[in-house]
Amino acid sequence: MTVNVFDTPQDAAKSLAAEVAALIRSRSAENKQVVLGLATGATPLPFYAELIRLHKEEGLSFANVVSFNLDEYCGLPHEHKESYWYFMHQNLFNHIDIKPENVNLPSGMLTDADIPAHCAAYEQKIKDCGGIDLQILGIGRTGHIGFNEPGSDDTTITRQVHLDDLTITDAAPAFGGKENVPATAITMGVATIMGARKVALMAWGDKKASIVQKAVEGPVTIDVAASYLQKHPNASFYLDSAAAADLKK
Ligand code: PGA
């Protein structure tokens, strides 16, 4: 895979957003849709800010974009400030011209009995839309992409998962304590992500340096879901210099 190192997250986000804008515009010129896989968390914020700027200042339209988010916490309604539905609307969708009917996120408000059918329908909808053109990713300190925690192999598809204790610890401040963090989530699987035609993973800061090194240079292993991206034909990492600091090459 390709590793791109930038001085700052803003520089990296700008470069990736320019690529996305070029893809959206070239598809639009052909009257075609583009299917984006989207991610939440602190990492993609400068990327979404740049997409919003491109929309407001440079006329980039998202009218031909269909989006599928990676994951959603179980048990959180749309209006919960930590739900990914809320995050995506607050940080991107409310500020661009994407059509509401083209926005897809796993539902956080299903009974356990309804989750398997919902997950199967999510996978099917991705296929019906022609597959994901570009999947945006962050990486958790467990090596997760989406919520594919250690133990998620490359045959996994959209399903309900238990969150790793480290992931819950990292989310705790936002929820006002570990006890308030949902124990489970719905996430695309590693196979779903690997099915995207292109994958772009962003990571910033020294806290991500060690897991980025494992994902890029370590063995491909079920213990680090992001390591499977080494086998993806078109995966790029976008790093700031702090997140790239442990890379040997
Ligand atoms: P973060 O989360 O962007 O908030 O660091 C990344 C992730 O867990 O994928």
Side-chain angles (χ1 to χ4, degrees):
M1 52 200 183
T2 316
V3 178
N4 307 296
V5 183
F6 298 82
D7 287 342
T8 67
Q10 284 68 29
D11 293 339
K14 239 177 131 76
S15 167
L16 179 55
E19 258 188 66
V20 173
L23 175 65
I24 293 172
R25 287 193 166 114
S26 75
R27 285 296 173 79
S28 170
E30 300 168 15
N31 247 328
K32 287 190 182 144
Q33 289 192 325
V34 49
V35 181
L36 299 182
L38 298 178
T40 50
T43 305
L45 286 173
F47 167 70
Y48 292 146
E50 176 63 8
L51 290 183
I52 293 167
R53 191 196 68 75
L54 287 167
H55 173 67
K56 291 197 191 307
E57 295 179 13
E58 298 187 21
L60 177 66
S61 172
F62 292 78
N64 66 328
V65 173
V66 176
S67 71
F68 286 90
N69 262 81
L70 281 167
D71 46 17
E72 180 59 283
Y73 290 111
C74 290
L76 301 191
H78 287 174
E79 60 275 13
H80 192 292
K81 291 199 164 43
E82 294 305 321
S83 80
Y84 289 162
W85 193 97
Y86 187 92
F87 175 100
M88 287 308 303
H89 285 77
Q90 199 70 8
N91 293 300
L92 183 63
F93 299 148
N94 289 350
H95 311 287
I96 59 174
D97 63 342
I98 193 166
K99 296 176 180 148
E101 64 270 27
N102 286 351
V103 163
N104 299 281
L105 288 102
S107 171
M109 289 304 285
L110 299 168
T111 63
D112 283 357
D114 288 335
I115 288 177
H118 176 74
C119 293
Y122 202 72
E123 284 285 327
Q124 189 58 47
K125 194 162 185 193
I126 293 172
K127 290 197 178 86
D128 292 345
C129 290
I132 293 170
D133 291 300
L134 172 62
Q135 177 65 56
I136 303 298
L137 297 173
I139 183 170
R141 290 198 296 149
T142 59
H144 71 206
I145 46 178
F147 274 133
N148 293 287
E149 301 289 17
S152 303
D153 72 21
D154 59 352
T155 67
T156 51
I157 58 172
T158 304
R159 68 209 186 286
Q160 185 175 22
V161 293
H162 283 271
L163 301 183
D164 192 275
D165 189 62
L166 180 58
T167 299
I168 291 176
T169 302
D170 283 348
F175 281 89
K178 274 177 86 165
E179 65 282 8
N180 301 321
V181 180
T184 66
I186 294 175
T187 184
M188 284 185 197
V190 176
T192 322
I193 293 167
M194 292 293 282
R197 283 181 277 281
K198 182 175 164 70
V199 173
L201 185 150
M202 292 177 274
W204 329 129
D206 56 3
K207 283 203 177 80
K208 298 287 175 76
S210 153
I211 196 66
V212 163
Q213 192 277 331
K214 290 192 178 88
V216 175
E217 298 180 337
V220 175
T221 165
I222 192 170
D223 298 326
V224 180
S227 70
Y228 289 111
L229 298 175
Q230 294 178 29
K231 299 203 290 186
H232 192 283
N234 195 2
S236 300
F237 277 45
Y238 293 76
L239 309 174
D240 70 351
S241 41
D246 287 0
L247 294 176
K248 312 269 189 287
K249 289 182 207 123

mmCIF file of all heavy atoms in Angstrom, residues 143-180:
data_model
loop_
_atom_site.group_PDB
_atom_site.id
_atom_site.type_symbol
_atom_site.label_atom_id
_atom_site.label_comp_id
_atom_site.label_asym_id
_atom_site.label_seq_id
_atom_site.Cartn_x
_atom_site.Cartn_y
_atom_site.Cartn_z
ATOM 1 N N GLY A 143 -6.164 -1.228 16.463
ATOM 2 C CA GLY A 143 -5.970 -1.600 15.061
ATOM 3 C C GLY A 143 -7.291 -1.739 14.328
ATOM 4 O O GLY A 143 -7.325 -2.142 13.162
ATOM 5 N N HIS A 144 -8.385 -1.385 15.026
ATOM 6 C CA HIS A 144 -9.674 -1.553 14.354
ATOM 7 C C HIS A 144 -9.839 -0.562 13.203
ATOM 8 O O HIS A 144 -9.360 0.560 13.246
ATOM 9 C CB HIS A 144 -10.863 -1.501 15.332
ATOM 10 C CG HIS A 144 -11.184 -0.171 15.927
ATOM 11 N ND1 HIS A 144 -11.820 -0.047 17.146
ATOM 12 C CD2 HIS A 144 -10.990 1.091 15.506
ATOM 13 C CE1 HIS A 144 -12.006 1.229 17.419
ATOM 14 N NE2 HIS A 144 -11.508 1.940 16.442
ATOM 15 N N ILE A 145 -10.533 -1.042 12.160
ATOM 16 C CA ILE A 145 -11.077 -0.201 11.089
ATOM 17 C C ILE A 145 -12.572 -0.479 11.130
ATOM 18 O O ILE A 145 -12.989 -1.624 11.253
ATOM 19 C CB ILE A 145 -10.442 -0.521 9.710
ATOM 20 C CG1 ILE A 145 -10.367 -2.024 9.441
ATOM 21 C CG2 ILE A 145 -9.056 0.106 9.618
ATOM 22 C CD1 ILE A 145 -9.792 -2.411 8.070
ATOM 23 N N GLY A 146 -13.399 0.585 11.064
ATOM 24 C CA GLY A 146 -14.765 0.409 11.532
ATOM 25 C C GLY A 146 -14.637 -0.035 12.984
ATOM 26 O O GLY A 146 -13.733 0.400 13.700
ATOM 27 N N PHE A 147 -15.521 -0.890 13.424
ATOM 28 C CA PHE A 147 -15.365 -1.464 14.774
ATOM 29 C C PHE A 147 -14.921 -2.924 14.674
ATOM 30 O O PHE A 147 -15.350 -3.774 15.449
ATOM 31 C CB PHE A 147 -16.658 -1.337 15.573
ATOM 32 C CG PHE A 147 -16.816 -0.017 16.297
ATOM 33 C CD1 PHE A 147 -18.009 0.695 16.230
ATOM 34 C CD2 PHE A 147 -15.783 0.518 17.070
ATOM 35 C CE1 PHE A 147 -18.173 1.903 16.903
ATOM 36 C CE2 PHE A 147 -15.934 1.724 17.750
ATOM 37 C CZ PHE A 147 -17.131 2.416 17.670
ATOM 38 N N ASN A 148 -14.045 -3.199 13.732
ATOM 39 C CA ASN A 148 -13.501 -4.554 13.605
ATOM 40 C C ASN A 148 -12.326 -4.703 14.563
ATOM 41 O O ASN A 148 -11.177 -4.408 14.224
ATOM 42 C CB ASN A 148 -13.091 -4.817 12.155
ATOM 43 C CG ASN A 148 -14.302 -4.867 11.239
ATOM 44 O OD1 ASN A 148 -15.062 -5.838 11.274
ATOM 45 N ND2 ASN A 148 -14.522 -3.808 10.487
ATOM 46 N N GLU A 149 -12.664 -5.152 15.748
ATOM 47 C CA GLU A 149 -11.680 -5.267 16.826
ATOM 48 C C GLU A 149 -10.817 -6.514 16.601
ATOM 49 O O GLU A 149 -11.121 -7.343 15.735
ATOM 50 C CB GLU A 149 -12.428 -5.376 18.171
ATOM 51 C CG GLU A 149 -13.349 -4.189 18.483
ATOM 52 C CD GLU A 149 -12.612 -2.899 18.826
ATOM 53 O OE1 GLU A 149 -11.408 -2.764 18.535
ATOM 54 O OE2 GLU A 149 -13.260 -1.994 19.384
ATOM 55 N N PRO A 150 -9.727 -6.656 17.361
ATOM 56 C CA PRO A 150 -8.915 -7.866 17.252
ATOM 57 C C PRO A 150 -9.811 -9.115 17.316
ATOM 58 O O PRO A 150 -10.730 -9.183 18.140
ATOM 59 C CB PRO A 150 -7.992 -7.781 18.471
ATOM 60 C CG PRO A 150 -7.826 -6.302 18.687
ATOM 61 C CD PRO A 150 -9.172 -5.705 18.347
ATOM 62 N N GLY A 151 -9.552 -10.058 16.414
ATOM 63 C CA GLY A 151 -10.411 -11.236 16.307
ATOM 64 C C GLY A 151 -11.314 -11.176 15.085
ATOM 65 O O GLY A 151 -11.983 -12.154 14.765
ATOM 66 N N SER A 152 -11.324 -10.016 14.407
ATOM 67 C CA SER A 152 -12.132 -9.872 13.179
ATOM 68 C C SER A 152 -11.260 -10.262 11.994
ATOM 69 O O SER A 152 -10.263 -9.586 11.714
ATOM 70 C CB SER A 152 -12.575 -8.421 12.997
ATOM 71 O OG SER A 152 -13.297 -7.961 14.112
ATOM 72 N N ASP A 153 -11.620 -11.338 11.296
ATOM 73 C CA ASP A 153 -10.788 -11.733 10.157
ATOM 74 C C ASP A 153 -11.333 -11.141 8.855
ATOM 75 O O ASP A 153 -12.322 -10.409 8.860
ATOM 76 C CB ASP A 153 -10.605 -13.254 10.090
ATOM 77 C CG ASP A 153 -11.864 -13.980 9.664
ATOM 78 O OD1 ASP A 153 -12.755 -13.360 9.044
ATOM 79 O OD2 ASP A 153 -11.971 -15.192 9.948
ATOM 80 N N ASP A 154 -10.663 -11.469 7.760
ATOM 81 C CA ASP A 154 -11.012 -10.801 6.500
ATOM 82 C C ASP A 154 -12.176 -11.456 5.767
ATOM 83 O O ASP A 154 -12.414 -11.164 4.605
ATOM 84 C CB ASP A 154 -9.785 -10.663 5.595
ATOM 85 C CG ASP A 154 -9.154 -11.995 5.238
ATOM 86 O OD1 ASP A 154 -9.568 -13.024 5.818
ATOM 87 O OD2 ASP A 154 -8.251 -12.011 4.386
ATOM 88 N N THR A 155 -12.922 -12.315 6.479
ATOM 89 C CA THR A 155 -14.184 -12.813 5.906
ATOM 90 C C THR A 155 -15.388 -12.117 6.545
ATOM 91 O O THR A 155 -16.527 -12.384 6.164
ATOM 92 C CB THR A 155 -14.352 -14.336 6.121
ATOM 93 O OG1 THR A 155 -14.510 -14.588 7.529
ATOM 94 C CG2 THR A 155 -13.152 -15.107 5.609
ATOM 95 N N THR A 156 -15.143 -11.235 7.517
ATOM 96 C CA THR A 156 -16.260 -10.640 8.252
ATOM 97 C C THR A 156 -16.997 -9.622 7.390
ATOM 98 O O THR A 156 -16.384 -8.866 6.632
ATOM 99 C CB THR A 156 -15.783 -9.955 9.544
ATOM 100 O OG1 THR A 156 -14.691 -9.071 9.222
ATOM 101 C CG2 THR A 156 -15.312 -10.958 10.569
ATOM 102 N N ILE A 157 -18.337 -9.603 7.540
ATOM 103 C CA ILE A 157 -19.162 -8.601 6.851
ATOM 104 C C ILE A 157 -19.941 -7.821 7.912
ATOM 105 O O ILE A 157 -19.645 -7.926 9.098
ATOM 106 C CB ILE A 157 -20.071 -9.261 5.780
ATOM 107 C CG1 ILE A 157 -20.979 -10.318 6.415
ATOM 108 C CG2 ILE A 157 -19.218 -9.872 4.673
ATOM 109 C CD1 ILE A 157 -22.036 -10.876 5.448
ATOM 110 N N THR A 158 -20.901 -7.027 7.490
ATOM 111 C CA THR A 158 -21.636 -6.170 8.425
ATOM 112 C C THR A 158 -22.344 -7.021 9.476
ATOM 113 O O THR A 158 -23.059 -7.970 9.150
ATOM 114 C CB THR A 158 -22.653 -5.297 7.672
ATOM 115 O OG1 THR A 158 -21.954 -4.546 6.673
ATOM 116 C CG2 THR A 158 -23.354 -4.343 8.623
ATOM 117 N N ARG A 159 -22.117 -6.662 10.743
ATOM 118 C CA ARG A 159 -22.636 -7.475 11.842
ATOM 119 C C ARG A 159 -22.551 -6.691 13.152
ATOM 120 O O ARG A 159 -21.911 -5.641 13.209
ATOM 121 C CB ARG A 159 -21.811 -8.765 11.987
ATOM 122 C CG ARG A 159 -20.390 -8.465 12.473
ATOM 123 C CD ARG A 159 -19.401 -9.473 11.997
ATOM 124 N NE ARG A 159 -18.079 -9.248 12.597
ATOM 125 C CZ ARG A 159 -17.259 -8.257 12.258
ATOM 126 N NH1 ARG A 159 -17.593 -7.326 11.383
ATOM 127 N NH2 ARG A 159 -16.078 -8.137 12.852
ATOM 128 N N GLN A 160 -23.161 -7.259 14.191
ATOM 129 C CA GLN A 160 -23.056 -6.656 15.526
ATOM 130 C C GLN A 160 -21.785 -7.170 16.201
ATOM 131 O O GLN A 160 -21.476 -8.368 16.126
ATOM 132 C CB GLN A 160 -24.272 -7.045 16.367
ATOM 133 C CG GLN A 160 -24.300 -6.346 17.732
ATOM 134 C CD GLN A 160 -25.567 -6.643 18.506
ATOM 135 O OE1 GLN A 160 -26.240 -7.653 18.265
ATOM 136 N NE2 GLN A 160 -25.904 -5.761 19.433
ATOM 137 N N VAL A 161 -21.052 -6.275 16.846
ATOM 138 C CA VAL A 161 -19.801 -6.668 17.512
ATOM 139 C C VAL A 161 -19.755 -6.100 18.927
ATOM 140 O O VAL A 161 -20.417 -5.107 19.237
ATOM 141 C CB VAL A 161 -18.564 -6.135 16.738
ATOM 142 C CG1 VAL A 161 -18.423 -6.814 15.380
ATOM 143 C CG2 VAL A 161 -18.631 -4.614 16.579
ATOM 144 N N HIS A 162 -18.940 -6.728 19.761
ATOM 145 C CA HIS A 162 -18.625 -6.190 21.082
ATOM 146 C C HIS A 162 -17.404 -5.285 20.973
ATOM 147 O O HIS A 162 -16.435 -5.644 20.291
ATOM 148 C CB HIS A 162 -18.353 -7.331 22.067
ATOM 149 C CG HIS A 162 -19.614 -7.998 22.520
ATOM 150 N ND1 HIS A 162 -20.331 -7.573 23.612
ATOM 151 C CD2 HIS A 162 -20.302 -9.026 21.986
ATOM 152 C CE1 HIS A 162 -21.411 -8.313 23.741
ATOM 153 N NE2 HIS A 162 -21.429 -9.205 22.772
ATOM 154 N N LEU A 163 -17.442 -4.162 21.645
ATOM 155 C CA LEU A 163 -16.302 -3.240 21.580
ATOM 156 C C LEU A 163 -15.203 -3.705 22.523
ATOM 157 O O LEU A 163 -15.469 -4.187 23.630
ATOM 158 C CB LEU A 163 -16.748 -1.825 21.951
ATOM 159 C CG LEU A 163 -17.847 -1.253 21.053
ATOM 160 C CD1 LEU A 163 -18.166 0.181 21.450
ATOM 161 C CD2 LEU A 163 -17.440 -1.311 19.587
ATOM 162 N N ASP A 164 -13.975 -3.516 22.068
ATOM 163 C CA ASP A 164 -12.793 -3.853 22.856
ATOM 164 C C ASP A 164 -12.696 -2.897 24.054
ATOM 165 O O ASP A 164 -13.106 -1.736 23.977
ATOM 166 C CB ASP A 164 -11.573 -3.685 21.943
ATOM 167 C CG ASP A 164 -10.311 -4.269 22.534
ATOM 168 O OD1 ASP A 164 -9.639 -3.566 23.309
ATOM 169 O OD2 ASP A 164 -10.022 -5.432 22.209
ATOM 170 N N ASP A 165 -12.126 -3.393 25.144
ATOM 171 C CA ASP A 165 -12.016 -2.551 26.345
ATOM 172 C C ASP A 165 -11.223 -1.272 26.073
ATOM 173 O O ASP A 165 -11.567 -0.202 26.581
ATOM 174 C CB ASP A 165 -11.385 -3.355 27.484
ATOM 175 C CG ASP A 165 -11.459 -2.591 28.796
ATOM 176 O OD1 ASP A 165 -12.598 -2.317 29.247
ATOM 177 O OD2 ASP A 165 -10.404 -2.211 29.336
ATOM 178 N N LEU A 166 -10.173 -1.360 25.252
ATOM 179 C CA LEU A 166 -9.381 -0.160 24.934
ATOM 180 C C LEU A 166 -10.211 0.852 24.143
ATOM 181 O O LEU A 166 -10.111 2.071 24.361
ATOM 182 C CB LEU A 166 -8.120 -0.565 24.144
ATOM 183 C CG LEU A 166 -7.173 0.561 23.724
ATOM 184 C CD1 LEU A 166 -6.668 1.362 24.919
ATOM 185 C CD2 LEU A 166 -5.985 -0.001 22.928
ATOM 186 N N THR A 167 -11.054 0.360 23.248
ATOM 187 C CA THR A 167 -11.941 1.239 22.474
ATOM 188 C C THR A 167 -12.930 1.937 23.400
ATOM 189 O O THR A 167 -13.196 3.143 23.265
ATOM 190 C CB THR A 167 -12.689 0.402 21.410
ATOM 191 O OG1 THR A 167 -11.724 -0.175 20.531
ATOM 192 C CG2 THR A 167 -13.679 1.235 20.630
ATOM 193 N N ILE A 168 -13.461 1.178 24.371
ATOM 194 C CA ILE A 168 -14.410 1.759 25.331
ATOM 195 C C ILE A 168 -13.698 2.813 26.193
ATOM 196 O O ILE A 168 -14.232 3.894 26.434
ATOM 197 C CB ILE A 168 -15.049 0.634 26.178
ATOM 198 C CG1 ILE A 168 -15.970 -0.205 25.272
ATOM 199 C CG2 ILE A 168 -15.812 1.212 27.375
ATOM 200 C CD1 ILE A 168 -16.603 -1.414 25.934
ATOM 201 N N THR A 169 -12.463 2.511 26.593
ATOM 202 C CA THR A 169 -11.676 3.478 27.377
ATOM 203 C C THR A 169 -11.460 4.757 26.576
ATOM 204 O O THR A 169 -11.604 5.872 27.109
ATOM 205 C CB THR A 169 -10.299 2.861 27.742
ATOM 206 O OG1 THR A 169 -10.537 1.664 28.482
ATOM 207 C CG2 THR A 169 -9.459 3.814 28.557
ATOM 208 N N ASP A 170 -11.130 4.616 25.292
ATOM 209 C CA ASP A 170 -10.877 5.794 24.454
ATOM 210 C C ASP A 170 -12.147 6.611 24.226
ATOM 211 O O ASP A 170 -12.081 7.826 24.027
ATOM 212 C CB ASP A 170 -10.254 5.374 23.110
ATOM 213 C CG ASP A 170 -8.771 5.020 23.256
ATOM 214 O OD1 ASP A 170 -8.185 5.311 24.322
ATOM 215 O OD2 ASP A 170 -8.195 4.449 22.302
ATOM 216 N N ALA A 171 -13.308 5.939 24.244
ATOM 217 C CA ALA A 171 -14.573 6.647 24.018
ATOM 218 C C ALA A 171 -15.143 7.233 25.312
ATOM 219 O O ALA A 171 -16.028 8.098 25.268
ATOM 220 C CB ALA A 171 -15.592 5.697 23.392
ATOM 221 N N ALA A 172 -14.639 6.767 26.455
ATOM 222 C CA ALA A 172 -15.255 7.118 27.746
ATOM 223 C C ALA A 172 -15.377 8.623 28.007
ATOM 224 O O ALA A 172 -16.444 9.071 28.462
ATOM 225 C CB ALA A 172 -14.492 6.435 28.886
ATOM 226 N N PRO A 173 -14.344 9.429 27.734
ATOM 227 C CA PRO A 173 -14.490 10.867 28.035
ATOM 228 C C PRO A 173 -15.703 11.487 27.334
ATOM 229 O O PRO A 173 -16.431 12.283 27.934
ATOM 230 C CB PRO A 173 -13.174 11.474 27.524
ATOM 231 C CG PRO A 173 -12.191 10.346 27.534
ATOM 232 C CD PRO A 173 -12.984 9.106 27.235
ATOM 233 N N ALA A 174 -15.939 11.110 26.086
ATOM 234 C CA ALA A 174 -17.059 11.688 25.335
ATOM 235 C C ALA A 174 -18.401 11.280 25.933
ATOM 236 O O ALA A 174 -19.392 12.004 25.832
ATOM 237 C CB ALA A 174 -16.988 11.257 23.873
ATOM 238 N N PHE A 175 -18.436 10.112 26.566
ATOM 239 C CA PHE A 175 -19.690 9.595 27.126
ATOM 240 C C PHE A 175 -19.815 9.895 28.623
ATOM 241 O O PHE A 175 -20.777 9.472 29.249
ATOM 242 C CB PHE A 175 -19.784 8.083 26.911
ATOM 243 C CG PHE A 175 -20.193 7.664 25.520
ATOM 244 C CD1 PHE A 175 -19.240 7.461 24.528
ATOM 245 C CD2 PHE A 175 -21.536 7.475 25.205
ATOM 246 C CE1 PHE A 175 -19.624 7.065 23.249
ATOM 247 C CE2 PHE A 175 -21.925 7.079 23.926
ATOM 248 C CZ PHE A 175 -20.965 6.872 22.942
ATOM 249 N N GLY A 176 -18.803 10.568 29.202
ATOM 250 C CA GLY A 176 -18.857 10.853 30.625
ATOM 251 C C GLY A 176 -18.652 9.597 31.465
ATOM 252 O O GLY A 176 -19.302 9.421 32.509
ATOM 253 N N GLY A 177 -17.787 8.715 31.008
ATOM 254 C CA GLY A 177 -17.468 7.514 31.791
ATOM 255 C C GLY A 177 -17.639 6.243 30.989
ATOM 256 O O GLY A 177 -18.514 6.159 30.117
ATOM 257 N N LYS A 178 -16.793 5.243 31.307
ATOM 258 C CA LYS A 178 -16.823 3.974 30.571
ATOM 259 C C LYS A 178 -18.183 3.294 30.637
ATOM 260 O O LYS A 178 -18.612 2.628 29.708
ATOM 261 C CB LYS A 178 -15.768 3.010 31.160
ATOM 262 C CG LYS A 178 -14.390 3.163 30.596
ATOM 263 C CD LYS A 178 -13.372 2.239 31.271
ATOM 264 C CE LYS A 178 -13.335 0.866 30.659
ATOM 265 N NZ LYS A 178 -12.138 0.078 31.060
ATOM 266 N N GLU A 179 -18.853 3.475 31.813
ATOM 267 C CA GLU A 179 -20.122 2.770 32.010
ATOM 268 C C GLU A 179 -21.213 3.262 31.047
ATOM 269 O O GLU A 179 -22.206 2.577 30.848
ATOM 270 C CB GLU A 179 -20.569 2.869 33.480
ATOM 271 C CG GLU A 179 -20.907 4.266 33.985
ATOM 272 C CD GLU A 179 -19.698 5.152 34.324
ATOM 273 O OE1 GLU A 179 -18.539 4.767 34.037
ATOM 274 O OE2 GLU A 179 -19.912 6.266 34.859
ATOM 275 N N ASN A 180 -21.008 4.430 30.455
ATOM 276 C CA ASN A 180 -22.020 4.961 29.529
ATOM 277 C C ASN A 180 -21.747 4.621 28.059
ATOM 278 O O ASN A 180 -22.550 4.949 27.190
ATOM 279 C CB ASN A 180 -22.111 6.484 29.667
ATOM 280 C CG ASN A 180 -22.473 6.901 31.076
ATOM 281 O OD1 ASN A 180 -23.305 6.256 31.719
ATOM 282 N ND2 ASN A 180 -21.839 7.949 31.580
#
